[in-house]
Amino acid sequence: MQTITVDSKEQGAEEICNIVRGELEAGRLHVLGLATGSTMEPVYEKMVSSNLDFSDVTAFNLDEYIGIPADHENSYAYYMKKHLFSKKPFKQTYIENGMAEDLDAECVRYETLLKENPLDIQFLGIGENGHIAFNEPGTSPESVTHVVELTQSTIDVNSQYFSEDETMPTTALTMGISSIMQAKKLIVAAFGEKKRAALEKLYAGEISTEWPVTYLLDHPDVTVITDQKF
Ligand code: F6R
């Protein structure tokens, strides 16, 4: 595991773009796994204002809420369109369909697509409780794309994005730990004191189901980009 320590989210975004540029120029980036959330916003801003060309790159997103449509402003499909896809063309973009009638079939469909399009790079943020994608504490390392019940911690953190008269979904679809670990290269971004506890678990070097981020210790190519000093 490699760590790049930065002074700010913006500098972190710059570092991520540099890695992406290197992989694109080396001809190694055909499929890019994306994340949502506040951590990724400066990254997409930098990607948009750069001259990077993603028109030959297929994108996959990690997760999506169940029960809100793609045009709802809190859906992750909407987030991706707003921050990246409406401004940078990609060859193809995929995200789980949280409105699918048969959610189990949707998980199988998504996992099959991932198998057909192996991830070259996967971006990851970290939840305060150590989740990666929506793989909450207790998730099996063998998990593939699945339906998840969000923990109270995740609901508390993410409900800030929903207005008072809206109820935040408590279930989601997410790529599993095993789906994420298939990616050739993982780029983990975590900024601010609130992510410190999860990062401490990662740097402690012991894999624990209670802190899903620690599963990354088993991956051969992980770069952590953080403003926290250890
Ligand atoms: C989002 C995702 C989540 C976030 C994590 C951090 O697609 O998979 O795991 O990366 O919850 O969220 P922020 O960046 O908002 O702190």
Side-chain angles (χ1 to χ4, degrees), residues 9 34-41 44 61-65 76 79-80 95 122-136 154 157-158 160-161 174 180 189-191 194-195:
K9 268 185 176 193
L34 301 170
T36 58
S38 59
T39 308
M40 300 312 299
E41 282 179 28
Y44 299 144
N61 263 86
L62 286 171
D63 40 18
E64 179 59 286
Y65 290 116
Y76 286 166
Y79 170 108
M80 288 312 303
I95 187 162
Q122 176 66 56
F123 291 169
L124 293 170
I126 311 181
E128 289 174 33
N129 64 355
H131 73 212
I132 47 171
F134 273 142
N135 293 287
E136 299 282 33
T154 299
V157 173
N158 287 12
Q160 61 177 303
Y161 300 110
T174 184
I180 291 168
F191 306 112
K194 286 184 172 166
K195 304 295 170 76

Short mmCIF file of all heavy atoms in Angstrom, two decimals, residues 9 34-41 44 61-65 76 79-80 95 122-136 154 157-158 160-161 174 180 189-191 194-195, ligand 1:
data_model
loop_
_atom_site.label_atom_id
_atom_site.label_comp_id
_atom_site.label_asym_id
_atom_site.label_seq_id
_atom_site.Cartn_x
_atom_site.Cartn_y
_atom_site.Cartn_z
N LYS A 9 -7.96 18.65 -0.01
CA LYS A 9 -8.77 17.84 -0.94
C LYS A 9 -8.39 18.16 -2.37
O LYS A 9 -8.33 17.29 -3.23
CB LYS A 9 -10.24 18.28 -0.82
CG LYS A 9 -11.08 17.54 0.14
CD LYS A 9 -12.50 18.06 0.01
CE LYS A 9 -13.44 17.27 0.90
NZ LYS A 9 -14.82 17.48 0.61
N LEU A 34 -15.97 4.36 -10.47
CA LEU A 34 -16.15 5.68 -9.85
C LEU A 34 -16.92 5.58 -8.55
O LEU A 34 -17.68 4.63 -8.33
CB LEU A 34 -16.90 6.59 -10.83
CG LEU A 34 -16.21 6.79 -12.18
CD1 LEU A 34 -17.15 7.48 -13.16
CD2 LEU A 34 -14.92 7.58 -12.03
N ALA A 35 -16.74 6.60 -7.71
CA ALA A 35 -17.47 6.70 -6.44
C ALA A 35 -18.20 8.03 -6.43
O ALA A 35 -17.89 8.92 -7.23
CB ALA A 35 -16.48 6.62 -5.28
N THR A 36 -19.13 8.18 -5.51
CA THR A 36 -19.81 9.48 -5.35
C THR A 36 -19.41 10.05 -3.98
O THR A 36 -18.49 9.56 -3.36
CB THR A 36 -21.33 9.31 -5.46
OG1 THR A 36 -21.75 8.39 -4.45
CG2 THR A 36 -21.74 8.81 -6.83
N GLY A 37 -20.12 11.08 -3.53
CA GLY A 37 -19.85 11.65 -2.22
C GLY A 37 -19.02 12.92 -2.31
O GLY A 37 -18.48 13.25 -3.36
N SER A 38 -18.90 13.60 -1.17
CA SER A 38 -18.23 14.91 -1.16
C SER A 38 -16.74 14.79 -1.46
O SER A 38 -16.15 15.69 -2.06
CB SER A 38 -18.46 15.60 0.18
OG SER A 38 -17.94 14.79 1.20
N THR A 39 -16.12 13.68 -1.08
CA THR A 39 -14.69 13.50 -1.33
C THR A 39 -14.37 13.58 -2.82
O THR A 39 -13.32 14.08 -3.22
CB THR A 39 -14.25 12.10 -0.81
OG1 THR A 39 -14.69 11.97 0.54
CG2 THR A 39 -12.76 11.89 -0.91
N MET A 40 -15.28 13.04 -3.62
CA MET A 40 -14.99 12.92 -5.06
C MET A 40 -15.29 14.19 -5.85
O MET A 40 -14.84 14.31 -6.99
CB MET A 40 -15.79 11.75 -5.66
CG MET A 40 -15.49 10.39 -5.06
SD MET A 40 -13.73 9.99 -4.90
CE MET A 40 -13.25 10.03 -6.60
N GLU A 41 -16.00 15.13 -5.24
CA GLU A 41 -16.40 16.32 -6.02
C GLU A 41 -15.21 17.08 -6.61
O GLU A 41 -15.20 17.37 -7.81
CB GLU A 41 -17.31 17.22 -5.20
CG GLU A 41 -18.73 16.66 -5.16
CD GLU A 41 -19.67 17.50 -4.34
OE1 GLU A 41 -19.47 18.71 -4.24
OE2 GLU A 41 -20.63 16.91 -3.79
N TYR A 44 -13.74 15.19 -9.61
CA TYR A 44 -14.47 15.32 -10.88
C TYR A 44 -14.32 16.73 -11.45
O TYR A 44 -14.22 16.89 -12.67
CB TYR A 44 -15.93 14.90 -10.69
CG TYR A 44 -16.04 13.45 -10.25
CD1 TYR A 44 -16.99 13.01 -9.36
CD2 TYR A 44 -15.12 12.51 -10.74
CE1 TYR A 44 -17.06 11.68 -8.95
CE2 TYR A 44 -15.16 11.18 -10.32
CZ TYR A 44 -16.13 10.78 -9.42
OH TYR A 44 -16.16 9.46 -9.03
N ASN A 61 -20.14 2.74 -11.66
CA ASN A 61 -20.25 3.31 -10.32
C ASN A 61 -20.42 2.24 -9.27
O ASN A 61 -20.92 1.15 -9.55
CB ASN A 61 -21.39 4.32 -10.26
CG ASN A 61 -20.85 5.72 -10.43
OD1 ASN A 61 -20.70 6.18 -11.57
ND2 ASN A 61 -20.52 6.39 -9.34
N LEU A 62 -19.97 2.58 -8.07
CA LEU A 62 -19.98 1.61 -6.98
C LEU A 62 -21.38 1.26 -6.49
O LEU A 62 -21.66 0.10 -6.19
CB LEU A 62 -19.23 2.19 -5.77
CG LEU A 62 -17.73 2.27 -5.84
CD1 LEU A 62 -17.20 3.08 -4.66
CD2 LEU A 62 -17.11 0.87 -5.82
N ASP A 63 -22.24 2.28 -6.37
CA ASP A 63 -23.48 2.02 -5.63
C ASP A 63 -24.60 2.99 -6.00
O ASP A 63 -24.37 4.01 -6.64
CB ASP A 63 -23.21 2.07 -4.11
CG ASP A 63 -22.26 3.20 -3.71
OD1 ASP A 63 -22.08 4.13 -4.51
OD2 ASP A 63 -21.71 3.15 -2.59
N GLU A 64 -25.80 2.62 -5.59
CA GLU A 64 -26.98 3.47 -5.85
C GLU A 64 -28.04 3.16 -4.80
O GLU A 64 -28.17 2.02 -4.34
CB GLU A 64 -27.53 3.17 -7.26
CG GLU A 64 -28.77 3.94 -7.66
CD GLU A 64 -28.62 5.47 -7.65
OE1 GLU A 64 -28.57 6.03 -6.53
OE2 GLU A 64 -28.58 6.08 -8.72
N TYR A 65 -28.78 4.19 -4.41
CA TYR A 65 -29.90 4.00 -3.47
C TYR A 65 -31.01 3.21 -4.14
O TYR A 65 -31.23 3.32 -5.35
CB TYR A 65 -30.47 5.35 -3.05
CG TYR A 65 -29.56 6.16 -2.17
CD1 TYR A 65 -29.06 7.38 -2.61
CD2 TYR A 65 -29.23 5.72 -0.89
CE1 TYR A 65 -28.24 8.15 -1.78
CE2 TYR A 65 -28.41 6.48 -0.06
CZ TYR A 65 -27.91 7.69 -0.52
OH TYR A 65 -27.10 8.44 0.29
N TYR A 76 -27.44 8.66 -7.06
CA TYR A 76 -26.04 8.71 -7.48
C TYR A 76 -25.92 8.84 -8.99
O TYR A 76 -24.93 9.37 -9.50
CB TYR A 76 -25.28 7.50 -6.92
CG TYR A 76 -25.02 7.61 -5.43
CD1 TYR A 76 -24.62 6.52 -4.69
CD2 TYR A 76 -25.18 8.83 -4.75
CE1 TYR A 76 -24.36 6.62 -3.31
CE2 TYR A 76 -24.93 8.95 -3.39
CZ TYR A 76 -24.52 7.84 -2.68
OH TYR A 76 -24.27 7.95 -1.33
N TYR A 79 -26.02 12.53 -9.42
CA TYR A 79 -24.73 13.08 -8.98
C TYR A 79 -23.69 12.94 -10.09
O TYR A 79 -22.96 13.88 -10.41
CB TYR A 79 -24.28 12.33 -7.71
CG TYR A 79 -22.87 12.60 -7.25
CD1 TYR A 79 -22.63 13.35 -6.09
CD2 TYR A 79 -21.76 12.09 -7.93
CE1 TYR A 79 -21.32 13.59 -5.65
CE2 TYR A 79 -20.47 12.33 -7.50
CZ TYR A 79 -20.25 13.07 -6.37
OH TYR A 79 -18.96 13.31 -5.94
N MET A 80 -23.62 11.73 -10.68
CA MET A 80 -22.59 11.49 -11.69
C MET A 80 -22.81 12.33 -12.94
O MET A 80 -21.88 12.85 -13.53
CB MET A 80 -22.55 9.99 -12.07
CG MET A 80 -21.96 9.10 -11.00
SD MET A 80 -20.39 9.64 -10.28
CE MET A 80 -19.34 9.78 -11.72
N ILE A 95 -24.38 2.24 -13.90
CA ILE A 95 -24.65 2.35 -12.46
C ILE A 95 -25.81 1.40 -12.17
O ILE A 95 -26.65 1.15 -13.06
CB ILE A 95 -24.96 3.82 -12.05
CG1 ILE A 95 -25.05 3.95 -10.53
CG2 ILE A 95 -26.21 4.37 -12.74
CD1 ILE A 95 -24.92 5.39 -10.01
N GLN A 122 -10.22 1.55 -9.67
CA GLN A 122 -11.44 1.83 -8.91
C GLN A 122 -11.15 2.94 -7.91
O GLN A 122 -10.22 2.84 -7.11
CB GLN A 122 -11.91 0.58 -8.15
CG GLN A 122 -13.12 0.81 -7.26
CD GLN A 122 -14.39 1.16 -8.04
OE1 GLN A 122 -14.80 0.40 -8.92
NE2 GLN A 122 -14.99 2.32 -7.76
N PHE A 123 -11.93 4.02 -7.97
CA PHE A 123 -11.87 5.08 -6.96
C PHE A 123 -12.69 4.63 -5.76
O PHE A 123 -13.80 4.09 -5.93
CB PHE A 123 -12.52 6.38 -7.46
CG PHE A 123 -11.80 7.11 -8.55
CD1 PHE A 123 -12.44 8.16 -9.22
CD2 PHE A 123 -10.50 6.79 -8.92
CE1 PHE A 123 -11.81 8.87 -10.22
CE2 PHE A 123 -9.86 7.50 -9.93
CZ PHE A 123 -10.51 8.55 -10.58
N LEU A 124 -12.20 4.95 -4.56
CA LEU A 124 -12.96 4.64 -3.34
C LEU A 124 -12.88 5.80 -2.36
O LEU A 124 -11.80 6.37 -2.16
CB LEU A 124 -12.37 3.41 -2.64
CG LEU A 124 -12.47 2.06 -3.33
CD1 LEU A 124 -11.62 1.04 -2.58
CD2 LEU A 124 -13.93 1.59 -3.39
N GLY A 125 -14.02 6.13 -1.76
CA GLY A 125 -14.01 6.98 -0.58
C GLY A 125 -14.15 6.04 0.61
O GLY A 125 -14.27 4.82 0.43
N ILE A 126 -14.13 6.58 1.81
CA ILE A 126 -14.32 5.74 3.00
C ILE A 126 -15.41 6.37 3.87
O ILE A 126 -15.42 7.59 4.07
CB ILE A 126 -13.04 5.66 3.87
CG1 ILE A 126 -11.79 5.31 3.04
CG2 ILE A 126 -13.22 4.63 4.97
CD1 ILE A 126 -10.52 5.21 3.89
N GLY A 127 -16.30 5.55 4.36
CA GLY A 127 -17.30 6.04 5.31
C GLY A 127 -16.65 6.23 6.67
O GLY A 127 -15.62 5.61 6.97
N GLU A 128 -17.28 7.04 7.50
CA GLU A 128 -16.72 7.25 8.85
C GLU A 128 -16.68 5.93 9.62
O GLU A 128 -15.84 5.73 10.49
CB GLU A 128 -17.58 8.27 9.63
CG GLU A 128 -17.40 9.67 9.07
CD GLU A 128 -18.33 10.68 9.71
OE1 GLU A 128 -18.66 10.54 10.91
OE2 GLU A 128 -18.73 11.63 9.01
N ASN A 129 -17.59 5.02 9.28
CA ASN A 129 -17.62 3.71 9.95
C ASN A 129 -16.76 2.68 9.21
O ASN A 129 -16.82 1.50 9.50
CB ASN A 129 -19.06 3.19 10.04
CG ASN A 129 -19.68 2.92 8.68
OD1 ASN A 129 -19.09 3.21 7.64
ND2 ASN A 129 -20.88 2.37 8.68
N GLY A 130 -15.96 3.15 8.26
CA GLY A 130 -15.04 2.25 7.56
C GLY A 130 -15.64 1.55 6.36
O GLY A 130 -15.02 0.67 5.76
N HIS A 131 -16.87 1.95 5.96
CA HIS A 131 -17.44 1.27 4.79
C HIS A 131 -16.71 1.69 3.51
O HIS A 131 -16.15 2.79 3.43
CB HIS A 131 -18.96 1.47 4.68
CG HIS A 131 -19.43 2.83 4.26
ND1 HIS A 131 -20.63 3.37 4.70
CD2 HIS A 131 -18.92 3.77 3.41
CE1 HIS A 131 -20.81 4.56 4.16
NE2 HIS A 131 -19.79 4.83 3.37
N ILE A 132 -16.71 0.78 2.54
CA ILE A 132 -16.25 1.13 1.20
C ILE A 132 -17.39 0.75 0.27
O ILE A 132 -17.99 -0.30 0.42
CB ILE A 132 -14.90 0.46 0.78
CG1 ILE A 132 -14.89 -1.02 1.09
CG2 ILE A 132 -13.73 1.17 1.43
CD1 ILE A 132 -13.67 -1.74 0.50
N ALA A 133 -17.68 1.64 -0.71
CA ALA A 133 -18.96 1.60 -1.40
C ALA A 133 -20.00 1.56 -0.28
O ALA A 133 -19.85 2.24 0.73
CB ALA A 133 -19.03 0.43 -2.37
N PHE A 134 -21.05 0.74 -0.39
CA PHE A 134 -21.99 0.64 0.73
C PHE A 134 -21.79 -0.70 1.44
O PHE A 134 -22.73 -1.28 1.98
CB PHE A 134 -23.43 0.81 0.26
CG PHE A 134 -23.89 2.25 0.22
CD1 PHE A 134 -24.71 2.69 -0.81
CD2 PHE A 134 -23.53 3.17 1.20
CE1 PHE A 134 -25.16 4.01 -0.86
CE2 PHE A 134 -23.96 4.49 1.17
CZ PHE A 134 -24.79 4.91 0.13
N ASN A 135 -20.56 -1.19 1.44
CA ASN A 135 -20.26 -2.41 2.19
C ASN A 135 -20.04 -2.01 3.65
O ASN A 135 -18.96 -1.51 4.02
CB ASN A 135 -19.03 -3.09 1.61
CG ASN A 135 -19.30 -3.63 0.23
OD1 ASN A 135 -20.00 -4.62 0.07
ND2 ASN A 135 -18.78 -2.94 -0.78
N GLU A 136 -21.08 -2.22 4.42
CA GLU A 136 -21.09 -1.78 5.80
C GLU A 136 -20.34 -2.78 6.69
O GLU A 136 -20.05 -3.91 6.26
CB GLU A 136 -22.56 -1.65 6.27
CG GLU A 136 -23.39 -0.64 5.48
CD GLU A 136 -23.11 0.82 5.88
OE1 GLU A 136 -21.98 1.16 6.25
OE2 GLU A 136 -24.07 1.62 5.79
N THR A 154 -24.36 5.46 8.57
CA THR A 154 -24.39 5.94 7.18
C THR A 154 -25.63 6.80 6.94
O THR A 154 -25.55 7.85 6.27
CB THR A 154 -24.35 4.73 6.22
OG1 THR A 154 -23.12 4.03 6.46
CG2 THR A 154 -24.43 5.15 4.77
N VAL A 157 -25.05 10.22 8.46
CA VAL A 157 -24.11 11.05 7.69
C VAL A 157 -24.75 11.52 6.38
O VAL A 157 -24.68 12.69 6.02
CB VAL A 157 -22.80 10.28 7.41
CG1 VAL A 157 -21.90 11.06 6.46
CG2 VAL A 157 -22.06 9.96 8.70
N ASN A 158 -25.41 10.60 5.67
CA ASN A 158 -25.90 10.94 4.32
C ASN A 158 -27.24 11.68 4.31
O ASN A 158 -27.60 12.27 3.30
CB ASN A 158 -26.01 9.67 3.47
CG ASN A 158 -24.64 9.15 3.06
OD1 ASN A 158 -23.62 9.61 3.57
ND2 ASN A 158 -24.60 8.23 2.12
N GLN A 160 -27.94 14.36 5.57
CA GLN A 160 -27.74 15.81 5.40
C GLN A 160 -28.03 16.27 3.96
O GLN A 160 -28.32 17.43 3.72
CB GLN A 160 -26.29 16.18 5.77
CG GLN A 160 -25.27 15.49 4.87
CD GLN A 160 -23.83 15.90 5.15
OE1 GLN A 160 -23.51 17.07 5.10
NE2 GLN A 160 -22.98 14.92 5.44
N TYR A 161 -27.95 15.34 3.01
CA TYR A 161 -28.18 15.71 1.61
C TYR A 161 -29.66 15.71 1.23
O TYR A 161 -30.04 16.17 0.16
CB TYR A 161 -27.41 14.76 0.67
CG TYR A 161 -25.92 14.80 0.92
CD1 TYR A 161 -25.25 13.71 1.49
CD2 TYR A 161 -25.17 15.94 0.61
CE1 TYR A 161 -23.88 13.76 1.74
CE2 TYR A 161 -23.81 16.00 0.86
CZ TYR A 161 -23.17 14.89 1.42
OH TYR A 161 -21.82 14.95 1.67
N THR A 174 -25.04 -2.21 -3.98
CA THR A 174 -23.62 -1.88 -3.96
C THR A 174 -22.78 -2.99 -4.55
O THR A 174 -23.10 -4.17 -4.41
CB THR A 174 -23.14 -1.59 -2.51
OG1 THR A 174 -21.77 -1.19 -2.55
CG2 THR A 174 -23.25 -2.79 -1.59
N ILE A 180 -14.97 -5.23 -5.83
CA ILE A 180 -14.02 -4.11 -5.76
C ILE A 180 -12.58 -4.63 -5.82
O ILE A 180 -11.73 -4.05 -6.51
CB ILE A 180 -14.25 -3.32 -4.44
CG1 ILE A 180 -15.59 -2.58 -4.51
CG2 ILE A 180 -13.10 -2.35 -4.16
CD1 ILE A 180 -16.06 -2.01 -3.19
N ALA A 189 -9.47 7.74 -1.43
CA ALA A 189 -9.32 9.13 -1.01
C ALA A 189 -10.05 9.34 0.31
O ALA A 189 -11.20 8.90 0.46
CB ALA A 189 -9.88 10.06 -2.08
N ALA A 190 -9.39 9.96 1.27
CA ALA A 190 -10.01 10.21 2.58
C ALA A 190 -9.43 11.49 3.16
O ALA A 190 -8.23 11.57 3.42
CB ALA A 190 -9.74 9.04 3.52
N PHE A 191 -10.30 12.48 3.32
CA PHE A 191 -9.84 13.77 3.82
C PHE A 191 -10.61 14.15 5.08
O PHE A 191 -11.82 13.91 5.18
CB PHE A 191 -10.04 14.86 2.75
CG PHE A 191 -9.39 14.50 1.43
CD1 PHE A 191 -10.17 14.23 0.31
CD2 PHE A 191 -8.01 14.41 1.32
CE1 PHE A 191 -9.57 13.88 -0.90
CE2 PHE A 191 -7.41 14.06 0.12
CZ PHE A 191 -8.20 13.79 -0.99
N LYS A 194 -12.71 13.38 10.33
CA LYS A 194 -13.79 12.40 10.50
C LYS A 194 -13.43 11.04 9.91
O LYS A 194 -14.06 10.04 10.21
CB LYS A 194 -15.06 12.92 9.84
CG LYS A 194 -15.70 14.02 10.64
CD LYS A 194 -17.01 14.45 10.05
CE LYS A 194 -17.71 15.41 10.99
NZ LYS A 194 -18.80 16.10 10.35
N LYS A 195 -12.45 11.01 9.01
CA LYS A 195 -12.05 9.74 8.39
C LYS A 195 -10.86 9.11 9.12
O LYS A 195 -10.38 8.05 8.74
CB LYS A 195 -11.68 9.97 6.92
CG LYS A 195 -12.79 10.61 6.08
CD LYS A 195 -14.00 9.70 5.96
CE LYS A 195 -15.21 10.40 5.37
NZ LYS A 195 -15.15 10.60 3.94
C1 F6R B 1 -20.18 6.54 -2.56
C2 F6R B 1 -19.57 5.53 -1.72
C3 F6R B 1 -19.28 5.78 -0.28
C4 F6R B 1 -18.51 7.08 -0.04
C5 F6R B 1 -18.25 7.28 1.44
C6 F6R B 1 -17.59 8.61 1.73
O1 F6R B 1 -20.34 6.08 -3.87
O2 F6R B 1 -19.33 4.49 -2.20
O3 F6R B 1 -18.55 4.70 0.24
O4 F6R B 1 -17.32 7.05 -0.74
O5 F6R B 1 -19.44 7.20 2.16
O6 F6R B 1 -18.48 9.64 1.42
P1 F6R B 1 -18.01 11.17 1.43
O7 F6R B 1 -17.03 11.32 0.33
O8 F6R B 1 -19.27 11.94 1.16
O9 F6R B 1 -17.42 11.41 2.76
#
